[in-house]
């Protein structure tokens, strides 16, 4: 830290560094002990990152083959080696005004795509893709600044449904004030698709507006507040609700599930990076839904929803975790 | 303390309110597309979001700042923190005080640039000219009654929509040409019985009288951001994703270090 900026902090900084080093040493001791205790026969104990292990996914788990998952976000890095040869151009479309390509200039969409369908063996590091054999449908609905409008998103949903998407992952949203209505448009879309026999499960990010460490829990945002869209909260590696994760503070915006969403490693344009947010929790649930759908392709969205909820491990209060953390069984 | 009415300033007729004596010249970039560069380039400021903008949003804006700064000289990069906000009487207005301090050894500790930005809401307000990109419809029209197709309502109520059917676009979306130069196109999602149209208030009221829902075409954004940890840490392979082993706090450009720990009474310190 620059002392010119904050000279009085030198002592505090030194103290903090000491605390940090002590914490790191403790973590290292715990980790080394855990590694020593791991059975030698475990073939790939470290082949999956912690988020996948938390979801009960290992190398023997289904891979999402034959399942189409749409990711509506900022696009995808088409040149990323982890997606080389895996993205069908017919499954990519931009809905952002004036932008023809789905190439991701932001990074968020590529990260979400990586969580849903990153490869079994990434170029570097452990596996992070929940459903590596799922077929990705990529709709760019948010600009490279990370924002977009309902009109573009609705259009993309229509397109994704026409492409045969069975699961739609939407790591997007906006804040909603308590006791205000959910988005009628998204609710109508989900209802219409269900009536048409289109099998689309919508998985959405609950929102990041909370500051729980300061005692502030924000309501689930839109469109996650819609009753027919599955709302996902974020937890960290220790299965604690994330500080930013929105909660069920009114009867309108209900939480359904939670998933890893803090310091999640996945693909970004040109490499890998860690990201946090309910955005990162959402594709974990979408990917997990793809695994269940591979196991039973005849599941309707409602049945798939129930399967996910039934598989959830209760982590605590409903308003923080929804029905809990879904685990592959 | 400098009071800046950003929309007024944005029209380019008023001079920059920021002092130029320190060589400080300003670019203001906001999520709604304002861009101002009065003189030279030293500061990059992002106009914050609506009342009680959470830290996560500020972090996202900080990323924007960082990206901008990387294009210029990192040593002249400006660090900022928001200190709470206050909702104005009008629901669509907000005021946020931002405190700026230049991250540069030659910038004296006591010198800081405090700015109060009084800006109209940029969020979800279709009639705010700053709220929308060009070519984005202002409203969504939703008919909850299947016997009342939204396209028929539009044809009967909105001048010009029925006149220029441009093409059958993606899937089951019908696109109509813009009703006037500069206006966005009209999209009708027939299966969903939803349309995205640019409307003025008179037209919106007419449509509401037709028993359809007329809602703003709301802005959505990503719900995630880059985590504080540098990418590809060895510790990740051991299951601990964000171990600060690389002396994060010592990194010159680490954006989340607490630069402004001092708080006003009753206010949390914003990192």
């Amino acid at each position: 830290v620059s002392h010119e900026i904050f000279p009085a902090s030198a002592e505090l900084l030194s103290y903090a560094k000491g605390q940090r080093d002590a914490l790191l040493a403790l973590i290292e001791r715990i980790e080394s002990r855990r590694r020593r205790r791991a059975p030698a026969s475990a073939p790939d104990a470290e082949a999956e990152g912690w988020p996948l292990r938390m979801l009960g996914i290992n190398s023997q788990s289904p891979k999402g083959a034959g399942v189409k998952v749409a990711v509506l976000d900022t696009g995808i890095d088409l040149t990323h080696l982890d997606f080389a040869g895996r993205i069908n151009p017919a499954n990519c479309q931009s809905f952002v005004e004036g932008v023809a390509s789905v190439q991701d200039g932001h990074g968020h969409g590529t990260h979400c795509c990586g969580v849903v369908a990153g490869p079994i063996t990434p170029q570097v590091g452990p596996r992070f893709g929940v459903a590596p054999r799922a077929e990705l449908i990529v709709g760019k609905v948010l600009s490279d600044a990370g924002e977009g409008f309902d009109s573009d998103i609705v259009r993309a949903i229509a397109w994704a449904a026409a492409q045969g998407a069975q699961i739609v992952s939407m790591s997007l949203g906006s804040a909603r004030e308590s006791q205000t209505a959910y988005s009628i448009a998204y609710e109508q879309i989900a209802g219409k698709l269900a009536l048409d026999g289109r099998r689309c499960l919508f998985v959405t990010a609950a929102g990041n507006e909370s500051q729980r460490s300061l005692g502030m829990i924000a309501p689930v945002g839109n469109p996650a507040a819609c009753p027919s869209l599955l709302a996902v909260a974020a937890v960290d590696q220790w299965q604690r609700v994330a500080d930013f994760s929105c909660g069920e503070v009114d009867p309108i915006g209900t939480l359904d599930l939670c998933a890893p969403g803090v310091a999640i490693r996945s693909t970004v344009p040109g490499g890998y990076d860690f990201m946090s947010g309910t955005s990162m929790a959402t594709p974990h649930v979408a990917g997990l839904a793809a695994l269940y759908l591979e196991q039973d392709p005849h599941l309707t969205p409602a049945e798939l929803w129930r399967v996910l909820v039934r598989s959830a491990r209760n982590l605590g209060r409903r308003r923080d975790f929804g029905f809990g953390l879904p685990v592959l069984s | 303390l400098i009071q800046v009415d950003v929309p007024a300033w944005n029209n380019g007729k008023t001079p920059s309110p920021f002092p130029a004596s320190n060589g400080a010249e300003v670019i203001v970039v906001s999520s709604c597309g304002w861009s101002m560069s009065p003189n030279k380039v030293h500061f990059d400021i992002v106009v914050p979001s609506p009342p009680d903008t959470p830290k996560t949003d500020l972090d996202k804006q900080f990323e924007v700042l960082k990206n901008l700064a990387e294009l210029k000289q990192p040593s002249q990069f400006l660090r900022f923190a928001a200190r709470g906000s206050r909702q104005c009487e009008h629901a669509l207005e907000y005021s946020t005080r931002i405190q700026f301090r230049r991250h540069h050894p030659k910038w004296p500790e006591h010198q800081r640039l405090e700015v109060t930005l009084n800006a109209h809401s940029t969020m979800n307000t279709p009639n705010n000219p700053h709220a929308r990109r060009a070519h984005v419809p202002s409203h969504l029209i939703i008919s909850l009654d299947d016997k009342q197709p939204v396209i028929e309502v539009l044809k009967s109520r909105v001048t010009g929509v029925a006149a220029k059917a441009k093409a059958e676009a993606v899937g089951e979306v019908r696109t109509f040409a813009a009703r006037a130069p500069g206006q966005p196109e009209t999209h009708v999602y027939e299966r969903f019985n939803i349309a995205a149209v640019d409307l003025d208030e008179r037209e919106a009221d007419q449509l509401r009288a037709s028993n359809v829902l007329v809602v703003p075409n709301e802005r959505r954004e990503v719900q995630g951001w880059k985590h504080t940890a540098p990418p590809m840490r060895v510790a990740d392979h051991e299951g601990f994703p964000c171990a600060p082993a690389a002396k994060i706090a010592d990194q010159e450009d680490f954006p989340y270090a607490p630069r402004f720990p001092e708080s006003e009474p009753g206010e949390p310190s914003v990192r």
Side-chain angles (χ1 to χ4, degrees):
Chain A
V1 171
S2 168
H3 291 184
E4 290 83 8
I5 295 296
F6 184 24
S9 69
E11 193 175 344
L12 180 65
L13 185 64
S14 173
Y15 172 77
K17 282 180 179 175
Q19 292 291 314
R20 181 196 65 189
D21 292 343
L23 181 63
L24 282 174
L26 177 64
I27 289 167
E28 176 57 32
R29 279 204 301 276
I30 293 170
E31 284 293 312
S32 61
R33 190 174 302 167
R34 186 176 63 80
R35 283 196 296 275
R36 281 200 303 274
R37 286 178 181 173
S41 59
D44 54 359
E46 302 293 341
E48 288 83 28
W50 65 265
L52 299 196
R53 296 200 299 271
M54 191 186 285
L55 296 172
I57 295 168
N58 57 41
S59 61
Q60 311 302 319
S61 303
K63 303 289 189 295
V67 181
K68 292 184 175 182
V69 184
V71 178
L72 306 185
D73 211 286
T74 60
I76 189 170
D77 180 13
L78 295 166
T79 64
H80 201 290
L81 292 175
D82 277 1
F83 298 116
R86 299 182 57 215
I87 306 296
N88 180 356
N91 283 346
C92 298
Q93 183 150 333
S94 170
F95 297 88
V96 177
E97 179 77 28
V99 180
S101 167
V102 296
Q103 181 62 32
D104 183 10
H106 184 282
H108 186 270
T110 304
H111 199 277
C112 292
C113 288
V115 171
V116 171
I120 297 171
T121 311
Q123 297 289 318
V124 182
R127 173 184 161 194
F128 46 78
V130 178
R133 296 207 175 115
E135 185 177 350
L136 273 179
I137 296 172
V138 182
K140 183 179 175 78
V141 297
L142 305 177
S143 70
D144 288 345
E147 61 183 29
F149 289 86
D150 279 347
S151 53
D152 301 332
I153 299 164
V154 171
R155 198 174 176 195
I157 291 173
W159 168 79
Q163 296 292 107
Q166 295 156 287
I167 298 155
V168 178
S169 177
M170 296 196 295
S171 294
L172 51 84
S174 58
R176 180 183 64 88
E177 290 190 15
S178 182
Q179 303 298 337
T180 57
Y182 56 78
S183 170
I184 299 289
Y186 288 91
E187 185 62 20
Q188 168 127 324
I189 289 166
K192 291 280 184 189
L193 287 174
L195 282 177
D196 288 357
R198 299 288 178 99
R199 300 187 165 191
C200 272
L201 175 70
F202 291 90
V203 187
T204 51
N208 303 334
E209 277 69 37
S210 293
Q211 288 179 286
R212 291 168 180 268
S213 55
L214 301 178
M216 197 277 281
I217 303 177
V220 174
N222 265 323
C226 296
S228 298
L229 275 60
L230 203 150
V232 185
V235 295
D236 66 9
Q237 183 179 3
W238 295 277
Q239 301 185 3
R240 300 171 306 193
V241 64
D243 186 61
F244 52 77
S245 185
C246 285
E248 191 174 308
V249 298
D250 65 8
I252 297 166
T254 54
L255 269 182
D256 298 298
L257 295 169
C258 61
V262 178
I264 304 300
R265 180 179 170 273
S266 181
T267 46
V268 294
Y272 304 89
D273 206 343
F274 295 93
M275 294 185 90
S276 294
T278 50
S279 273
M280 283 60 247
T282 301
H284 278 112
V285 173
L288 194 63
L291 304 190
Y292 276 117
L293 211 50
E294 182 191 349
Q295 288 180 334
D296 186 355
H298 302 294
L299 289 174
T300 65
E303 289 168 341
L304 185 54
W305 183 309
R306 279 195 290 274
V307 166
L308 287 167
V309 168
R310 272 204 297 268
S311 76
R313 196 148 50 84
N314 185 7
L315 296 185
R317 288 181 300 189
R318 171 84 196 269
R319 81 168 188 185
D320 298 329
F321 301 96
F323 289 104
L325 177 77
V327 179
L328 186 67
S329 56
Chain B
L1 190 68
I2 305 165
Q3 298 282 340
V4 187
D5 184 80
V6 173
W9 185 28
N10 188 39
N11 64 19
K13 294 175 182 173
T14 50
S16 165
F18 293 85
S21 57
N22 293 317
E25 298 167 29
V26 181
I27 283 184
V28 175
V29 179
S30 83
S31 57
C32 56
W34 302 322
S35 181
M36 289 160 277
S37 53
N39 296 310
K40 301 172 191 173
V41 176
H42 279 202
F43 290 157
D44 294 305
I45 302 164
V46 170
V47 178
S49 298
D52 304 311
T53 301
K55 178 183 171 296
T56 53
D57 279 6
L58 294 174
D59 286 349
K60 288 176 205 165
Q61 292 168 354
F62 198 96
E63 283 296 316
V64 177
L65 275 176
K66 189 167 170 246
N67 292 337
L68 286 170
E70 283 169 359
L71 299 174
K72 306 181 186 78
Q73 297 179 39
S75 63
Q76 293 177 337
F77 181 39
L78 180 76
R79 299 197 179 270
F80 81 110
R83 294 295 193 79
S85 57
R86 168 180 69 81
Q87 187 150 17
C88 299
E89 288 181 5
H90 194 289
L92 297 181
E93 292 181 341
Y94 62 90
S95 173
T96 301
R97 185 160 64 91
I98 319 174
Q99 198 172 72
F100 302 92
R101 195 180 293 175
R102 194 178 177 198
H103 176 54
H104 191 277
K106 292 180 182 175
W107 186 272
E109 172 64 22
H110 63 276
Q111 280 195 22
R112 65 178 62 166
L113 185 61
E114 267 192 11
V115 182
T116 295
L117 295 170
N118 296 313
H120 298 286
S121 172
T122 62
M123 303 290 184
N124 309 329
T125 52
N127 295 315
N128 183 343
H130 301 291
R132 295 182 286 118
R133 294 195 313 248
H135 306 297
V136 174
S138 63
H139 289 85
L140 292 184
I141 317 297
I142 308 164
S143 172
L144 299 177
D145 183 0
D146 284 345
K147 294 175 184 173
Q148 184 184 17
V150 72
I151 190 168
E152 297 303 326
V153 178
L154 283 176
K155 283 177 181 176
S156 63
R157 293 283 185 177
V158 182
T159 310
V161 165
K164 298 178 184 176
K166 190 172 114 182
E168 292 291 330
V170 182
E172 296 162 43
V173 183
R174 185 176 294 182
T175 303
F176 294 86
R179 293 186 292 150
Q183 268 191 330
E185 295 173 331
T186 295
H187 296 295
V188 178
Y189 314 97
E190 291 188 280
R191 193 206 306 176
F192 302 148
N193 223 358
I194 294 174
V197 197
D198 208 42
L199 300 172
D200 58 32
E201 279 307 307
R202 184 185 56 81
E203 290 171 323
D205 288 342
Q206 275 192 341
L207 283 165
R208 288 189 184 100
S210 305
N211 204 24
V212 292
L213 292 174
V214 183
V215 297
N217 182 17
E218 293 198 48
R219 176 180 170 275
R220 311 293 182 193
E221 58 185 12
V222 297
Q223 296 294 311
W225 64 95
K226 282 186 182 175
H227 194 260
T228 56
M232 289 313 304
R233 306 290 298 281
V234 174
D236 178 51
H237 301 276
E238 299 172 359
F240 184 63
C242 52
K247 298 184 177 178
I248 286 173
D250 287 343
Q251 291 180 13
E252 190 64 12
D253 60 347
F254 180 61
Y256 298 90
R259 301 286 175 182
F260 305 99
E262 68 276 19
S263 298
E264 290 178 3
E267 275 194 315
S269 170
V270 179
R271 286 183 300 149

